[in-house]
Amino acid sequence: SSTPLKIAVTGAAGQIGYSLLFRLASGALGDRPVELRLLEITPALKALEGVVMELDDCAFPTLAGVEIGDDAETIFDGVNLALLVGAKPRGPGMERGDLLSANGAIFTAQGKALNKVAADDVRIGVTGNPANTNALIAMSNAPDIPRERFSALTRLDHNRAISQLAAKTGAPVTDITKMTIWGNHSATQYPDLFHAEVAGRNAAEAVGDQDWLENTFIPTVAKRGAAIIEARGSSSAASAASATIDAARDWLHGSAEGDWVSMAVVSDGSYGVQEGLISSFPVTTSNGDWSIVQGLEIDDFSRGRIDASVAELADEKAAVTELGLI
Ligand code: NAX
């Protein structure tokens, strides 16, 4: 169709936005023209105007229009895809409860605005942290939008896991399939090599090194964000934007045959994950819908890791329930 895909991006003047907008505008989601609708807080609008000047200066053939503003209901009007990137970072001396309530205010308001004005076919991807719980808050405040339309980003973790496994085995990334991130986008996440494959061979067997798997691979993937901050002096931005694009593209256009991707989506109780939590699963996507890959055997090691991350999500849910955000 030549009607532009209307895409909202929040936090558009931020680091991730600076990479994400140019890829969306240049056709990373396909040939269909896109209209960007960019939400920022009032003090960041001037900087955002500068970013829009640069978007103009690229003369992207697929960019059909840009609108910016600080009012969620205006910006979200008629959007088909909403990428919720803007969030409140944890400041010095900030307790977890403070972080959850600051973000709660953002994601309750944005959930309500999406509920009111988004297009009927809207899909909502949350990148801003704490991503799973922010998605839960937005979903809970948008009762008229099907719960399946919300997801939180674990695709960056998924891509990091693919890259680490490729480096360890010497295989190209294109040989790595069926990677899974389970649980929360946090240090408790569980990147699973027992179901992943390297050129069709079980990855845990191909690696053949449980010590590496437990003591190098898992912590390297789970703590990669901190390693990037340590090296670069700021948090991952281009890779986070790239993963946000990968996730949106596969959601809208489908995952590859014979493979799956990781997405944090509302649990139906699969794999013993408490119903209603937004937890990362192996999913296949087709025609804008996802479904959780069923029937994987979970051994005791994986069970313990999944349960620990899910317990953290249940704690976050209890905390935001206590705060009256959901
Ligand atoms: P920046 O601080 O550079 O940008 C965030 C932007 O959001 C700012 O411009 C700010 O003005 C804006 N903002 C704040 N409140 C807003 C609101 N209510 N409405 C609209 N905009 C608002 O952060 P950046 O590096 O771009 O990261 C954005 C978010 O992504 C952070 O929460 C970060 O923790 C999270 N990340 C998530 C990742 C993931 O894999 N899920 C990885 C990368 C990143 O750490």
Side-chain angles (χ1 to χ4, degrees), residues 248-261:
R249 185 199 56 229
D250 287 349
W251 197 356
L252 298 181
H253 301 306
S255 51
E257 192 63 38
D259 199 1
W260 65 60
V261 294

Side-chain angles (χ1 to χ4, degrees), residues 264-278:
V265 293
V266 65
S267 176
D268 61 356
S270 291
Y271 297 103
V273 176
Q274 183 189 314
E275 196 277 333
L277 292 177
I278 304 267

Side-chain angles (χ1 to χ4, degrees), residues 6 37 54 91 94 101 133 136 179 202 208 210 212 217 219 250 256 265 271 299 310 313 319:
K6 283 194 183 186
R37 307 183 62 95
E54 289 202 74
M94 212 172 168
S101 43
T133 296
L136 177 72
M179 184 58 74
N202 180 275
Q210 179 72 16
W212 179 83
F217 173 73
D250 287 349
V265 293
Y271 297 103
D299 68 8
V310 170
L313 286 171

Side-chain angles (χ1 to χ4, degrees), residues 10-11 13-17 39-41 44 85-87 106 110 127-129 131 153 156-157 185 235-236 240:
T10 71
Q15 284 204 94
I16 294 174
L39 186 70
E40 259 295 351
I41 53 173
V85 177
I106 296 173
Q110 292 182 0
T127 296
N129 281 322
L153 189 76
L156 179 55
D157 311 294
H185 168 69
S235 57
S236 12

Side-chain angles (χ1 to χ4, degrees), residues 222-296:
K223 294 178 189 163
R224 187 70 163 179
I228 304 273
I229 293 175
E230 173 69 24
R232 205 175 82 88
S234 32
S235 57
S236 12
S239 56
S242 194
T244 300
I245 297 269
D246 287 346
R249 185 199 56 229
D250 287 349
W251 197 356
L252 298 181
H253 301 306
S255 51
E257 192 63 38
D259 199 1
W260 65 60
V261 294
S262 303
M263 279 172 85
V265 293
V266 65
S267 176
D268 61 356
S270 291
Y271 297 103
V273 176
Q274 183 189 314
E275 196 277 333
L277 292 177
I278 304 267
S279 190
S280 189
F281 287 100
V283 303
T284 55
T285 55
S286 167
N287 294 321
D289 296 321
W290 51 263
S291 63
I292 296 172
V293 175
Q294 295 297 332
L296 302 180

Side-chain angles (χ1 to χ4, degrees), residues 99-170:
L99 183 75
L100 290 172
S101 43
N103 281 295
I106 296 173
F107 287 86
T108 49
Q110 292 182 0
K112 288 181 175 132
L114 286 164
N115 194 59
K116 207 163 162 188
V117 302
D120 284 345
D121 69 352
V122 69
R123 265 90 186 147
I124 299 138
V126 178
T127 296
N129 281 322
N132 300 53
T133 296
N134 287 342
L136 177 72
I137 294 169
M139 182 183 84
S140 305
N141 283 276
D144 302 325
I145 300 176
R147 299 198 302 173
E148 295 72 29
R149 302 292 187 77
F150 289 84
S151 77
L153 189 76
T154 51
R155 185 61 174 266
L156 179 55
D157 311 294
H158 175 100
N159 289 345
R160 286 167 170 167
I162 288 176
S163 164
Q164 292 299 320
L165 177 60
K168 172 72 176 174
T169 57

